[in-house]
Amino acid sequence: MREAFSNALVRLALADPKVLLLTGDHGYALFDEFRKRCPDQYINAGIAEQNMVGMAAGLARVGFRPFVYGLAAFVPIRTIEQIKLDIAHDDLPVVLLGDGAGFVYSHLGTSHQSTEDIACTRAIPGLEILSPADRFEMTASMDRAYAANGPVYLRMGKSDRGDVHAGPVGALQSGKLIQVRGGRGDRPGLIATGSMVRAALDVAQPLDLAVWSAPVLKPLSADDVCAAARATTGLVTLEEHSVLGGLGAAVSEITSEHHPVRVLRIGVPDRFSAHCGTHAYLLREHGLDTDSVRPRISAFCTAIAPGAGVAASA
């Protein structure tokens, strides 16, 4: 997925000299090709992310198309005020690239883990949020971000979990879900985003559950969410993000207003990590690995099965 990101960025910059890449002293190997082919469009702003975002706002005002790259713990989290006031308030076409979202930078501890970025950015007016699941969604997300007339946050999670699509997905429509697996209508459906789409597919196969990917988290289509709810008996959301304020919250907000249905939100509990370790270890610690997710979804299937009666809220 990171290769697809790099390729898309080079392609956009070669086609449009107004495209600029700003980085906070990160991603050298990732941007080797960009620096080789577009050296005059590359700016290393140093370890000064807040200044970098302000610089991007100024460049956008004079007609450039800045892409601002940093670790998700810093872009957007460290720079949230600058994103809000310098970029989003004036609806400037700046693309914010938050790499390593969730637990990707696991060994570096809480300071470098980002499980609150969706919640923080969802509340900023006018800021679109993209969360690709594989290389095909990444390419489509980059094209959508470039075509946007306003600010975009593109969230990059674990990049080596494999494809979830067989080929290109085409242009991403505003807030549309992409169904990646069919399933039985008498069982719940899974809506996942980013790295958790792969986990959703692994869990869904033996249970014969439908799976939708949500590459566009804001705006999120109420029509699509309700259609998924009507096609199933309940919804399960999966995200490598806090259960507060992310995909699960967005789906629950939509269904509570438009199509009340049981929703099981699977994400990071409301706590910090107790220990450092590998990415796989932290998924286990927070109950996001497949072995932890599968029994929760199986129990939810049983609880909401036709004739099971009214169960407690998930």
Side-chain angles (χ1 to χ4, degrees), residues 22 43 90 108 112 136 148 156 168 227 253 304 308:
L22 288 75
I43 300 172
D90 292 340
L108 298 179
H112 283 61
F136 300 113
M156 300 166 63
E253 290 160 9
I304 65 173

Side-chain angles (χ1 to χ4, degrees), residues 53 79-90 124-125:
V53 171
T79 59
I80 201 74
E81 179 184 0
Q82 286 72 32
I83 293 170
K84 171 186 172 182
L85 298 179
D86 295 351
I87 293 175
H89 182 272
D90 292 340
I124 297 178

Side-chain angles (χ1 to χ4, degrees), residues 141-229:
S141 292
M142 288 292 287
D143 288 340
R144 180 177 174 88
Y146 172 75
N149 291 318
V152 176
Y153 170 49
L154 195 158
R155 183 182 207 251
M156 300 166 63
K158 190 68 172 169
S159 61
D160 56 357
R161 308 202 81 178
D163 292 338
V164 300
H165 301 283
V169 297
L172 296 182
Q173 302 300 312
S174 185
K176 300 289 286 184
L177 301 177
I178 303 175
Q179 186 161 8
V180 291
R181 189 186 192 281
R184 291 172 51 171
D186 61 347
R187 295 186 178 181
L190 312 182
I191 301 177
T193 192
S195 62
M196 291 301 289
V197 178
R198 179 70 264 165
L201 286 170
D202 293 342
V203 171
Q205 195 278 329
L207 297 173
D208 199 11
L209 307 180
V211 178
W212 287 267
S213 175
V216 184
L217 292 177
K218 182 188 175 187
L220 185 61
S221 170
D223 289 343
D224 275 23
V225 171
C226 291

Side-chain angles (χ1 to χ4, degrees), residues 39-263:
D40 295 334
Q41 293 163 260
Y42 176 85
I43 300 172
N44 185 349
I47 305 175
E49 292 88 353
Q50 292 156 319
N51 290 338
M52 178 171 65
V53 171
M55 184 189 304
L59 290 166
R61 285 187 180 279
V62 295
F64 289 99
R65 294 300 314 276
F67 283 67
V68 182
Y69 174 91
L71 305 191
F74 310 134
V75 178
I77 297 305
R78 178 177 291 171
T79 59
I80 201 74
E81 179 184 0
Q82 286 72 32
I83 293 170
K84 171 186 172 182
L85 298 179
D86 295 351
I87 293 175
H89 182 272
D90 292 340
D91 198 31
L92 296 176
V94 177
V95 180
L96 304 154
L97 305 163
D99 197 1
F103 296 120
V104 174
Y105 290 101
S106 53
H107 289 97
L108 298 179
T110 298
S111 64
H112 283 61
Q113 295 163 13
S114 183
T115 59
E116 65 287 297
D117 54 316
I118 298 172
C120 291
T121 51
R122 274 188 70 219
I124 297 178
L127 180 60
E128 182 168 314
I129 304 173
L130 305 176
S131 176
D134 67 2
R135 56 182 171 141
F136 300 113
E137 288 190 7
M138 173 60 78
T139 299
S141 292
M142 288 292 287
D143 288 340
R144 180 177 174 88
Y146 172 75
N149 291 318
V152 176
Y153 170 49
L154 195 158
R155 183 182 207 251
M156 300 166 63
K158 190 68 172 169
S159 61
D160 56 357
R161 308 202 81 178
D163 292 338
V164 300
H165 301 283
V169 297
L172 296 182
Q173 302 300 312
S174 185
K176 300 289 286 184
L177 301 177
I178 303 175
Q179 186 161 8
V180 291
R181 189 186 192 281
R184 291 172 51 171
D186 61 347
R187 295 186 178 181
L190 312 182
I191 301 177
T193 192
S195 62
M196 291 301 289
V197 178
R198 179 70 264 165
L201 286 170
D202 293 342
V203 171
Q205 195 278 329
L207 297 173
D208 199 11
L209 307 180
V211 178
W212 287 267
S213 175
V216 184
L217 292 177
K218 182 188 175 187
L220 185 61
S221 170
D223 289 343
D224 275 23
V225 171
C226 291
R230 285 192 293 269
T232 59
T233 56
L235 295 174
V236 181
T237 61
L238 299 95
E239 56 193 316
E240 194 175 326
H241 180 274
S242 172
V243 292
L244 306 176
L247 171 66
V251 168
S252 297
E253 290 160 9
I254 289 170
T255 56
S256 67
E257 184 174 352
H258 300 289
H259 188 83
V261 68
R262 288 282 300 278
V263 177

